[in-house]
Amino acid sequence: MGHSAAHWDNRAPFHLTKDVNGIEQVVLWNPRGASARISLQGGRVFSWRNHRGEELLFNSSKTNFKVPKTVRGGISACFPQFGNCDALEKHGFARKRMWKIDENPPPMRVNDSRGKSYVDLLLEPAEEDLKYWPHRNLNGKPFNFSFAYHTYLSVSDISEVRIEGLETLDYLDNLCQRERFTEQGDAITFESEVDRVYLSSAPCVAVLDHEKKRTYVLRKEGLPDVALWNPWDKKSKAMADFGDSDYRQMLCVDGAAIETGVTLKPGEEWTGQVELAAIPSSFCTDNIHPRLRIF
């Protein structure tokens, strides 16, 4: 039903460990000390640390890792829907199901496989999912789905963050019943709740954190849209699994296919790819070396 891969620039292999619930995790690392951790529950990347040990992904302060359920944070795949549109659970079922390590993964492109350790994760169909979404690309009918890599970035303070690369684009505002607007600012900054889907965006988007002098660069392929979310103070206090002030240290920036989704014909394949890098704030698109790649 689904396939996902996480890659880390490193010649050493990954290894497996278990969390407090006994669920397996994949650990990727490199000799300089950077690391990533991926849970087989939901295929979620819940940690990405640089060589200084700084966590680059946000996880809610009220996350209870002793309870094996979806938590707010990290990077997860929202499939076969993003949002809450029909009988399926919000953001689909892929982020809650158990994934497994693919022992026979598809071959990587030559340029992608050099000097890297990686793990390929596979999501297979479950009967409980097929009750509500009875589609596979092995039958005789096309089907449509939406998709997003729901990515919680850790930031110093949301008021110190701006986004470049979405200027002049149309967006759907989920706070206004998905009404369509056009972005007017030279860059996007945050002063209140934001829940938007920017449409037909460029392949590269930059998130600049002034206080930490850090820039996150998101490159994407096959994912035309970018979803932005920050709940701000009022909504944060209303969410049981989110700290009252957590909104200050997070921003969701998702590579996505939402407005028109993806239509898959019988036997066809589709790939959505995101590369995420954290670099010094002197931003130059011609000099970006990805530290983490999520397919």
Side-chain angles (χ1 to χ4, degrees):
M1 178 174 288
H3 194 278
S4 179
H7 302 260
W8 193 262
D9 291 355
N10 175 30
R11 296 180 185 276
F14 68 84
H15 73 269
L16 294 175
T17 184
K18 292 185 178 182
D19 64 15
V20 293
N21 301 300
I23 297 172
E24 285 190 315
Q25 301 174 354
V26 177
V27 182
L28 301 172
W29 73 95
N30 71 19
R32 294 187 62 195
S35 64
R37 289 178 175 265
I38 306 156
S39 175
L40 293 190
Q41 182 172 28
R44 187 173 71 94
V45 183
F46 65 89
S47 178
W48 172 29
R49 293 181 179 271
N50 62 20
H51 66 280
R52 292 188 293 273
E54 298 168 331
E55 181 59 64
L56 303 176
L57 299 179
F58 167 87
N59 285 280
S60 167
S61 64
K62 289 190 175 180
T63 294
N64 183 0
F65 289 102
K66 292 184 179 180
V67 180
K69 65 177 184 179
T70 297
V71 298
R72 293 190 183 273
I75 305 173
S76 57
C78 296
F79 171 87
Q81 71 173 11
F82 181 80
N84 191 10
C85 304
D86 53 34
L88 287 172
E89 53 196 302
K90 185 176 182 180
H91 294 334
F93 49 74
R95 66 198 187 105
K96 293 186 177 181
R97 301 296 180 259
M98 290 301 299
W99 294 61
K100 70 176 186 179
I101 296 174
D102 191 351
E103 302 295 343
N104 187 29
M108 295 177 64
R109 293 175 296 185
V110 175
N111 291 338
D112 288 338
S113 60
R114 293 174 180 171
K116 298 178 181 179
S117 64
Y118 60 91
V119 62
D120 286 75
L121 304 182
L122 183 66
L123 177 64
E124 295 182 330
E127 290 300 322
E128 58 184 309
D129 302 325
L130 294 173
K131 291 178 183 178
Y132 302 102
W133 200 74
H135 302 293
R136 304 188 196 188
N137 64 338
L138 301 178
N139 63 19
K141 297 181 180 180
F143 59 86
N144 183 267
F145 60 91
S146 60
F147 184 90
Y149 282 115
H150 202 26
T151 303
Y152 287 76
L153 298 177
S154 175
V155 300
S156 58
D157 191 298
I158 190 62
S159 63
E160 296 293 325
V161 171
R162 81 174 191 269
I163 297 180
E164 297 181 355
L166 301 176
E167 304 82 30
T168 74
L169 295 182
D170 285 358
Y171 64 87
L172 305 178
D173 194 333
N174 291 319
L175 302 179
C176 299
Q177 292 74 51
R178 292 177 64 85
E179 188 175 350
R180 193 180 186 113
F181 297 94
T182 300
E183 179 59 52
Q184 302 295 325
D186 294 333
I188 298 170
T189 56
F190 299 89
E191 299 177 347
S192 60
E193 181 182 357
V194 171
D195 190 352
R196 301 174 180 174
V197 178
Y198 284 81
L199 308 174
S200 301
S201 66
C204 186
V205 176
V207 180
L208 289 79
D209 187 334
H210 299 290
E211 185 173 320
K212 288 190 175 181
K213 297 181 173 58
R214 174 187 299 149
T215 296
Y216 294 103
V217 180
L218 183 146
R219 290 183 181 272
K220 56 192 179 67
E221 295 179 18
L223 300 166
D225 306 323
V226 171
L228 296 184
W229 181 66
N230 184 288
W232 220 251
D233 56 345
K234 185 177 180 180
K235 185 166 288 186
S236 294
K237 294 176 182 178
M239 294 188 292
D241 59 352
F242 204 77
D244 290 355
S245 60
D246 278 358
Y247 74 95
R248 293 186 176 277
Q249 276 73 54
M250 61 74 62
L251 177 63
C252 282
V253 185
D254 309 343
I258 297 174
E259 184 187 26
T260 58
V262 177
T263 297
L264 204 62
K265 296 178 181 179
E268 281 189 336
E269 295 183 356
W270 169 83
T271 299
Q273 174 176 315
V274 166
E275 294 182 359
L276 184 61
I279 62 176
S281 282
S282 52
F283 171 63
C284 176
T285 56
D286 294 329
N287 190 28
I288 297 171
H289 301 284
R291 301 295 191 270
L292 175 67
R293 178 177 299 166
I294 307 298
F295 294 87

